[in-house]
Amino acid sequence: MSTVNTNVVSYGIINGQGFKSIHVPISSSFPINQGDLVYFDTVAKIAKPVATDANAATLLGVALTPSKVSSNLDNPSAPAEKAIMVGWDVVANLKTTASETYATGTVVYEGADSQTITTVAGSNPIGRVLLPVTQASVTGAAGVTVPVVIKSAVY
């Protein structure tokens, strides 16, 4: 599956609705979209999009900026950024996996891509679902997102 640039952050979970963020170095060899879950590659010393459960062991958080900035108003072959802004201690709306049930407190793991989650247990959780008080559960399907509390495994 592929991801697209999207602002997935609903709000922060620390006082004042703020969240923590940091600029992290990247490589143009590993494109990152806004809204991707990203991890820190401890060998290359750069951020990369989460692609496996093992990557989540060094989860940084959610990409707040893409690795390449372009639009129909500028040059689509604009040079890639050297760093991206990553946020954690946030609630991010992430895509669900079809037919899975999500409720507040459900532990979620890396799904089919870096913007999708699953309830199938892995070794390294991405976060926990935090539904609105009035909502008991959500069934995963195409186009359905759920709010997930994202905590960094690194910071």
Side-chain angles (χ1 to χ4, degrees):
M1 297 180 89
S2 64
T3 62
V4 296
N5 286 320
T6 183
N7 181 7
V8 299
V9 175
S10 295
Y11 54 86
I13 61 170
I14 59 176
N15 292 338
Q17 295 297 311
F19 55 85
K20 299 172 186 171
S21 62
I22 191 170
H23 277 94
V24 183
I26 57 170
S27 167
S28 59
S29 301
F30 303 96
I32 297 172
N33 285 313
Q34 180 183 17
D36 282 356
L37 293 165
V38 294
Y39 76 101
F40 188 69
D41 181 323
T42 56
V43 174
K45 308 293 188 211
I46 59 172
K48 294 180 181 179
V50 172
T52 67
D53 178 67
N55 294 158
T58 55
L59 181 71
L60 287 169
V62 177
L64 302 175
T65 56
S67 60
K68 185 172 182 178
V69 179
S70 63
S71 72
N72 60 354
L73 301 176
D74 62 26
N75 183 353
S77 60
E81 298 293 316
K82 302 279 190 241
I84 59 166
M85 181 72 80
V86 176
W88 69 96
D89 283 353
V90 299
V91 176
N93 293 307
L94 299 175
K95 297 185 289 184
T96 59
T97 299
S99 303
E100 293 185 345
T101 301
Y102 301 87
T104 293
T106 301
V107 177
V108 292
Y109 303 86
E110 170 62 17
D113 61 42
S114 58
Q115 293 180 0
T116 303
I117 54 168
T118 182
T119 59
V120 175
S123 299
N124 302 294
I126 294 294
R128 289 185 181 266
V129 173
L130 181 65
L131 295 176
V133 176
T134 57
Q135 196 168 13
S137 65
V138 171
T139 300
V144 175
T145 63
V146 292
V148 177
V149 176
I150 305 295
K151 294 279 204 173
S152 174
V154 176
Y155 293 105

